[in-house]
Amino acid sequence: MPNRLAQATSPYLLQHADNPVDWWPWEADAFEEARRRDVPVFLSVGYSACHWCHVMAHESFEDDETAAYLNEHFVSVKVDREERPDVDAVYMEAVQAATGQGGWPMSVFMTPDGEPFYFGTYFPPEPRHGMPSFRQVLEGVHNAWASRRDEVGEVAGKITRDLAERELSTGDAGTPTEETQALALLQLTRDIDPASGWFKGDTKFPPSMVIEFLLRHHARAGSVAALEMAEGLCGAMARSSLYDQVGGGFHRYVLTPRTGGPLVPHFEKMLYDNALLCRVYARLWRVTGSDLARRVALETADFMVRELRTPEGGFASALDADSDDGSGRHVEGAFYVWTPEQLTAVLGDDDAAYAARFFGVTEDGTFEHGASVLQLPQGAGVVDAGRLDRVRQRLLAAREERVRPGRDDKVVAAWNGLAVAALAETGALFDRPDLVERAVEAADLLVRVHMDESARIARTSRDGRVGANSGVLEDYADVAEGFLALASVTGEGVWLEFAGFLLDIVLDQFQGEGGALYDTAHDAEPLIRRPQDPTDNAVPSGWTAAAGALLSYGAHTGSEAHRSAAERALGVVKALAPRAPRFIGWGLAVAEALLDGPREVAIVGARDDDGTRLLHRTALLGTAPGAVVAVGVPDGEEFPLLRDRVLVDGRPTAYVCRHFVCDAPTTDASELSGKLTG
């Protein structure tokens, strides 16, 4: 019989709807039930594309005996971290503080008041590698609850008090300076491995936001080192197994094998990674003209549209790492890896030998079960672009016949905002109007489904049905970022207006003292701690994303309130960047825009005029950090930047300004380009 999760909209929760565990969703009734029964709460947090979440589910949550013990002694609550990032953040902070590490699935035992007292991540079904079995953990927690309740209460109370005291304020740090940015770059150069181009460390996540900082710093300060580091990182990622060499798009991370050999990917594909990286590679091309950057940007955009777009026009959250390998086994990476025999079956002997050499496919295999992950090893030979493209297309067509990984098709507002920005800019830079259209359709879904009449935004939707969870700061900030990018690309002022609605709510509902920002609104459901994290991780933090959107909106409109809020928020960059620049990359990128102005570009002329289109494209190709662009008829009402702007000699005209103080207008695209290059 299905449990309470059967009515959920989250694909992750629905994966557990038929478990014998009597799961509850995160709701007040679950904690009331724990009080009534006088039992602890077991909180399990994960997400649908999480490999080890699936493993623990198969081993423990689908096991009748384990489920019976859970049901008798606990109230079990299942949370999709992508739907409730606030719940995930609060308890992950506790897990990391107690154990020194974190991850998913996250396992937390707490009192009926939500106060945690015992933590972990994945627990195996039997003792393994120094870890207790899940059943041992359950029995230990139950015995402690039954016989040492006072001790449990003391531990839970202390942890909760410690968490509540972790308020963050930037105080009088001030805005980032030239020195802040230079020190951050210096620290990054110490963290890079010049031989590989990657940052040091065995686990390598794509550093999208740091690369954005490096590109902007190069544009503003002329740093050759920053550009070389950005090119090295982008080249290393694009050649490695982090990148899907056949279908485009990026996996979540790669691991360095202890025995040497190629990097091994964790095969799940996340919308947020691909949106951020698509934008980064498009912007790298804008600086360097690199064919590799162009190819990766466009292939990543096409991957998102082909494999993540939903029927409603939004973008699904993720693709699983695992899929059926054709023999009934659910295997990580089965959809993506190849053996020499499989290459031969698809390509024939000659092209198979070429592909094996080019992509590093070996007889012994570089992954598991004799299969190889595709990469572009050094010394693969001279590239025959036509032949390589034909090989890729044939492999892609053959791969489509395999059992596809599962797709988490819920639409997350924040990540769709990132996708809107990436597709709009990539489409504009590479003259792909179809990509801009996909961005507009996704933005339209966010307005129609996720935003209510007061512009409050919902975190998720699925199948066109809005979810019950309120948006958090990153949702407001990233959706506003997407709308602002769309406004600059399309010249449609309505997107600027929608961004303003969202950012006004940021000012009203998410600001604290001294420039601090919270991840949840003032009127959100109270948790044991109000989450507040300025550090950039896999995505820009809500804090730094809000700073960027507020700054851009202030540049578009001249709003001092929005600009001042951005400046106050950026105090955290000055505080964190010198010692941890890899975890404040988006904040550093926004700081580059602030130090540059940012520049405000008004293109005056009819949007269907060839001269206007040339100036508009030139403006979008400009590398000035964080520049905003408005295009429309003289004195147009859609954009404040167009007010009091006139044609020069009756021709389309460009104005480049800072703080609404403008240089001499120009009708010449080459002159405009010079005004926007660094």
Side-chain angles (χ1 to χ4, degrees):
M1 177 181 294
N3 55 46
R4 295 173 187 83
L5 303 184
Q7 303 304 312
T9 57
S10 159
Y12 175 64
L13 297 189
L14 290 172
Q15 289 171 359
H16 295 269
D18 292 315
N19 289 168
V21 177
D22 188 17
W23 290 113
W24 291 71
W26 180 276
E27 62 183 25
D29 287 350
F31 294 90
E32 186 56 41
E33 176 70 3
R35 290 187 193 94
R36 185 187 69 78
R37 291 175 49 199
D38 190 29
V39 296
V41 173
F42 167 59
L43 171 67
S44 177
V45 182
Y47 57 103
S48 72
C50 168
H51 172 71
W52 287 103
C53 299
H54 296 316
V55 172
M56 190 167 178
H58 295 321
E59 292 174 341
S60 296
F61 303 147
E62 295 173 7
D63 178 71
D64 289 332
E65 186 177 339
T66 302
Y69 194 90
L70 267 171
N71 295 340
E72 181 179 358
H73 298 294
F74 300 87
V75 167
S76 299
V77 175
K78 176 62 75 172
V79 166
D80 181 344
R81 68 177 294 262
E82 296 172 353
E83 278 199 330
R84 291 300 303 263
D86 52 339
V87 172
D88 177 63
V90 166
Y91 291 101
M92 183 59 74
E93 189 172 7
V95 171
Q96 290 174 329
T99 69
Q101 59 187 7
W104 299 276
M106 176 168 62
S107 304
V108 180
F109 296 89
M110 62 182 75
T111 71
D113 293 324
E115 297 182 336
F117 60 87
Y118 189 79
F119 318 90
T121 52
Y122 163 79
F123 290 109
E126 64 280 322
R128 188 186 303 160
H129 306 306
M131 288 190 295
S133 72
F134 186 49
R135 180 61 179 264
Q136 288 175 325
V137 170
L138 294 179
E139 291 174 350
V141 170
H142 167 63
N143 291 335
W145 182 262
S147 61
R148 303 194 305 277
R149 182 73 61 87
D150 290 345
E151 180 183 335
V152 168
E154 288 177 9
V155 170
K158 182 180 186 306
I159 291 170
T160 301
R161 288 191 299 274
D162 288 346
L163 289 174
E165 291 171 359
R166 295 186 177 195
E167 288 291 315
L168 179 62
S169 174
T170 59
D172 299 321
T175 57
T177 63
E178 295 276 359
E179 183 182 13
T180 305
Q181 307 300 93
L183 287 174
L185 178 63
L186 178 62
Q187 184 59 51
L188 290 171
T189 62
R190 293 170 176 165
D191 288 348
I192 205 81
D193 175 8
S196 69
W198 292 92
F199 283 120
K200 298 170 185 174
D202 290 338
T203 304
K204 301 182 187 300
F205 289 87
S208 313
M209 292 143 284
V210 170
I211 297 171
E212 182 66 28
F213 157 63
L214 294 170
L215 292 174
R216 290 187 181 192
H217 187 68
H218 164 73
R220 185 187 62 81
S223 170
V224 174
L227 180 59
E228 288 178 345
M229 197 183 306
E231 288 185 288
L233 285 163
C234 285
M237 289 191 295
R239 289 191 301 271
S240 78
S241 56
L242 182 73
Y243 187 66
D244 180 354
Q245 303 293 342
V246 169
F250 290 84
H251 301 295
R252 187 160 174 254
Y253 62 86
V254 287
L255 296 169
T256 304
R258 295 179 181 177
T259 56
L263 300 171
V264 176
H266 187 54
F267 289 94
E268 61 190 342
K269 285 183 168 181
M270 313 302 294
L271 173 62
Y272 56 74
D273 280 329
N274 285 285
L276 289 165
L277 288 164
C278 176
R279 201 178 190 189
V280 159
Y281 278 88
R283 291 183 168 191
L284 177 63
W285 171 84
R286 189 170 63 178
V287 176
T288 65
S290 160
D291 289 337
L292 176 67
R294 176 190 178 93
R295 176 173 67 81
V296 171
L298 287 171
E299 288 178 357
T300 303
D302 287 336
F303 154 74
M304 288 193 288
V305 172
R306 183 182 69 245
E307 299 192 30
L308 295 179
R309 189 166 180 266
T310 69
E312 296 76 30
F315 290 90
S317 298
L319 299 179
D320 284 359
D322 304 1
S323 60
D324 192 313
D325 67 354
S327 66
R329 296 184 308 159
H330 215 56
V331 176
E332 185 177 12
F335 187 70
Y336 300 102
V337 298
W338 295 84
T339 64
E341 293 76 18
Q342 289 171 330
L343 292 180
T344 300
V346 174
L347 301 173
D349 291 339
D350 289 346
D351 279 347
Y354 170 77
R357 182 178 69 253
F358 195 87
F359 291 123
V361 176
T362 69
E363 289 293 336
D364 293 333
T366 61
F367 183 52
E368 297 173 352
H369 312 297
S372 295
V373 292
L374 303 192
Q375 55 172 335
L376 300 182
Q378 297 294 335
V382 177
V383 176
D384 179 338
R387 185 181 189 186
L388 179 59
D389 184 62
R390 291 190 296 273
V391 164
R392 277 199 175 111
Q393 292 304 315
R394 291 162 67 190
L395 292 177
L396 180 61
R399 199 174 75 177
E400 289 298 307
E401 301 300 317
R402 296 178 176 179
V403 178
R404 297 191 60 80
R407 187 173 86 159
D408 184 332
D409 55 359
K410 72 176 178 294
V411 171
V412 175
W415 305 349
N416 273 255
L418 297 175
V420 168
L423 293 173
E425 289 190 2
T426 302
L429 292 179
F430 299 118
D431 195 22
R432 284 281 303 275
D434 59 306
L435 297 179
V436 178
E437 289 173 13
R438 301 295 85 77
V440 170
E441 290 161 357
D444 182 62
L445 176 73
L446 291 170
V447 173
R448 287 186 295 104
V449 175
H450 286 250
M451 290 173 65
D452 66 17
E453 61 278 1
S454 60
R456 298 303 290 265
I457 199 164
R459 172 72 174 172
T460 62
S461 69
R462 186 167 183 251
D463 298 331
R465 182 162 63 99
V466 69
N469 298 305
S470 300
V472 295
L473 180 58
E474 70 166 354
D475 294 305
Y476 287 87
D478 288 337
V479 172
E481 175 79 14
F483 289 169
L484 290 166
L486 208 53
S488 287
V489 165
T490 65
E492 298 288 345
V494 66
W495 301 115
L496 178 64
E497 185 178 2
F498 282 133
F501 294 154
L502 297 176
L503 293 172
D504 284 345
I505 293 172
V506 170
L507 298 182
D508 180 61
Q509 285 288 329
F510 291 89
Q511 281 197 107
E513 296 294 326
L517 293 167
Y518 290 96
D519 292 330
T520 54
H522 297 325
D523 59 5
E525 174 193 354
L527 301 172
I528 59 169
R529 159 173 159 72
R530 190 176 180 188
Q532 181 189 45
D533 185 359
T535 57
D536 301 320
N537 201 313
V539 293
S541 68
W543 185 314
T544 60
L550 288 164
L551 183 65
S552 294
Y553 186 77
H556 258 297
T557 63
S559 168
E560 190 56 38
H562 293 82
R563 183 182 176 90
S564 295
E567 290 176 347
R568 291 193 301 272
L570 287 174
V572 76
V573 178
K574 192 171 183 182
L576 295 180
R579 63 180 186 273
R582 288 171 62 182
F583 296 97
I584 199 73
W586 192 253
L588 287 163
V590 176
E592 289 293 335
L594 179 69
L595 289 168
D596 194 64
R599 286 174 236 193
E600 307 138 1
V601 187
I603 307 297
V604 182
R607 290 209 302 266
D608 60 355
D609 182 277
D610 288 344
T612 305
R613 283 198 291 261
L614 177 59
L615 290 175
H616 185 205
R617 176 170 173 75
T618 301
L620 295 174
L621 286 168
T623 58
V628 300
V629 179
V631 58
V633 296
D635 214 16
E637 296 182 358
E638 287 190 299
F639 291 96
L641 282 173
L642 299 177
R643 292 172 191 159
D644 302 321
R645 309 294 180 216
V646 298
L647 302 176
V648 172
D649 298 329
R651 299 166 61 191
T653 304
Y655 295 78
V656 179
C657 318
R658 285 185 175 93
H659 310 296
F660 277 63
V661 177
C662 304
D663 296 340
T666 181
T667 60
D668 182 79
S670 296
E671 185 178 347
L672 173 61
S673 179
K675 291 175 180 287
L676 294 174
T677 304

